[in-house]
Amino acid sequence: MKKFTTVSDVENLQEIIKKALQIKANSLTETEKGKGKTIGLVFLNSSLRTRLSSQIAAQNLGLNVLTLNAAQEAWNLEFADGAVMNGDTVEHIKDAIEVLNQYCDLIAVRCFAGMKSKEDDVNESILSQFEEHAKVPVISLESATRHPLQSLADCITITENWNKDRKPKVVLTWAPHIKPIAHAVGNSFAEWMQKMDVELVITNPEGYDLDKNFTKDVKVIHDQEEALKDADFIYVKNWSSFDDYAAMPEVKEDWMLTNEKLEKTNNAKVMHCLPVRRNVELSDEVMDGGNSIIYQQAKNRIFSAQAIFSEILDDLNDPCQGF
Ligand code: CP
């Protein structure tokens, strides 16, 4: 694998899930694979799970890990091409990436949507600069439109929790929030689930449909109760409007997931990428109840990252590279 920013970088999803589950069974079988190599984990936005799970995964592979909390610790970055930098910005992203090239064998980056310009976000204005200027493999730790390491962890978690010989019904449900949230997790989950052997349904209020480029022909139902019927898995996530970019159209119905709603499903397992706003997106009783597999999902972030880093190291360690 040469880079990892989208599901299309994965040649065989079932194989990578299998590999991640083998790593979960014994995570220390490749402790020499990354020896002498360095991964840079660059965070332009906050993180708990992605930062820590990526560090654990990299350490399990023997990689040196450099973590840069760029928003807090680095110089104020300029992203605009041709900018006259006579204001608050101190270092251009192009120069920062060129320097990272000198220090790192792999560069992983978190760069959320700015939620100000739809065009910039849809075109991945920051990730695309890493892809353009990095001379080493680039890994997304969540970008403007996708969160692929999260989605792989979600696929691993569903696989672990399903042993029936029929397709599970997986419902991605919108949940309330207090501020406009980006589309990356919802987009990505929709994209990856279409590669899995599941029946995917998306439910959200009118005005909150995700970008069709990600949802394609997936059924979208605007009535949450109808969508949740017979669900085997419910993925809870908020996102703001895509059409009226970053707006929060009024929603009259109560979309928070509660035990009462769970009772009408097929005893569905509940998922959320975290962090979650308790008693806004889902209730305490759901979060702390027996149907939640949310912490298992968070643990699987380690094995998702380790499987991907391992694949990329295979490519870097391939003696045929460069011939
Ligand atoms: N789910 C997830 O990416 O968590 P963090 O934002 O804490 O990394």
Side-chain angles (χ1 to χ4, degrees):
M1 187 181 286
K2 300 213 175 298
K3 68 169 189 82
F4 182 72
T5 59
T6 147
V7 68
S8 53
D9 295 316
V10 174
E11 210 170 290
N12 184 324
L13 177 55
Q14 285 308 314
E15 282 300 314
I16 203 89
I17 293 170
K18 198 167 136 195
K19 176 172 179 147
L21 289 170
Q22 282 164 353
I23 291 170
K24 187 169 185 175
N26 184 357
S27 56
L28 297 176
T29 59
E30 297 186 314
T31 51
E32 296 290 302
K33 197 181 241 190
K35 203 171 170 188
K37 292 197 166 53
T38 298
I39 185 168
L41 305 176
V42 181
F43 287 88
L44 301 178
N45 314 95
S46 303
S47 170
L48 188 156
R49 280 142 293 275
T50 306
R51 184 196 326 262
L52 299 182
S53 61
S54 298
Q55 279 187 219
I56 297 168
Q59 285 163 359
N60 286 347
L61 291 162
L63 281 159
N64 299 318
V65 184
L66 299 177
T67 303
L68 180 66
N69 300 314
Q72 293 85 30
E73 299 165 353
W75 299 108
N76 202 17
L77 290 167
E78 175 62 57
F79 296 98
D81 249 350
V84 178
M85 290 173 55
N86 59 0
D88 291 340
T89 55
V90 179
E91 178 153 38
H92 201 283
I93 189 70
K94 286 196 277 196
D95 302 322
I97 298 167
E98 284 296 350
V99 174
L100 290 169
N101 282 329
Q102 317 301 315
Y103 302 156
C104 303
D105 300 282
L106 303 86
I107 299 175
V109 59
R110 165 162 283 198
C111 47
F112 285 174
M115 305 302 286
K116 292 195 173 86
S117 158
K118 184 174 188 173
E119 191 186 349
D120 280 357
D121 291 346
V122 166
N123 292 327
E124 293 283 7
S125 64
I126 301 178
L127 182 66
S128 62
Q129 300 212 45
F130 277 83
E131 294 193 290
E132 183 181 345
H133 300 295
K135 296 184 173 72
V136 299
V138 172
I139 297 155
S140 168
L141 301 174
E142 185 171 345
S143 68
T145 63
R146 294 180 170 94
H147 194 357
L149 284 176
Q150 178 66 55
S151 301
L152 177 54
D154 301 338
C155 293
I156 296 164
T157 310
I158 288 173
T159 302
E160 279 182 314
N161 283 281
W162 191 249
N163 59 8
K164 301 200 171 106
D165 57 2
R166 65 170 174 83
K167 288 183 189 197
K169 178 175 174 182
V170 178
V171 180
L172 169 61
T173 181
W174 182 90
H177 208 284
I178 60 159
K179 59 181 194 178
I181 297 291
H183 308 93
V185 171
N187 284 345
S188 220
F189 186 74
E191 196 170 49
W192 285 67
M193 282 302 118
Q194 288 171 75
K195 305 271 181 195
M196 292 279 282
D197 194 19
V198 303
E199 178 201 342
L200 177 64
V201 171
I202 300 173
T203 183
N204 55 257
E206 300 275 1
Y208 283 89
D209 286 3
L210 289 164
D211 183 351
K212 268 294 218 187
N213 285 316
F214 293 91
T215 59
K216 299 204 160 66
D217 295 327
V218 175
K219 191 191 283 185
V220 179
I221 299 176
H222 294 127
D223 177 338
Q224 190 191 40
E225 191 177 340
E226 185 194 334
L228 291 181
K229 256 182 237 156
D230 301 324
D232 297 299
F233 293 90
I234 303 172
Y235 200 100
V236 182
K237 186 72 185 97
N238 170 268
W239 58 85
S240 54
S241 176
F242 178 71
D243 287 340
D244 185 7
Y245 196 65
M248 296 171 70
E250 189 188 358
V251 177
K252 292 214 169 72
E253 305 80 26
D254 183 4
W255 280 71
M256 181 173 81
L257 188 68
T258 58
N259 265 358
E260 199 184 335
K261 292 181 186 177
L262 259 190
E263 276 163 19
K264 294 177 187 156
T265 69
N266 191 21
N267 198 23
K269 302 284 187 198
V270 178
M271 303 177 72
H272 190 292
C273 63
L274 297 176
V276 68
R277 295 223 175 211
R278 282 173 174 250
N279 304 310
V280 175
E281 293 177 79
L282 48 71
S283 64
D284 275 337
E285 58 187 8
V286 171
M287 188 67 200
D288 299 326
N291 288 46
S292 169
I293 51 172
I294 292 171
Y295 300 136
Q296 180 183 351
Q297 194 183 347
K299 182 171 182 176
N300 285 336
R301 291 295 308 274
I302 300 170
F303 315 113
S304 159
Q306 195 167 330
I308 296 303
F309 297 169
S310 171
E311 290 286 300
I312 290 179
L313 284 171
D314 281 343
D315 202 66
L316 285 178
N317 291 337
D318 182 351
C320 296
Q321 287 298 314
F323 290 96

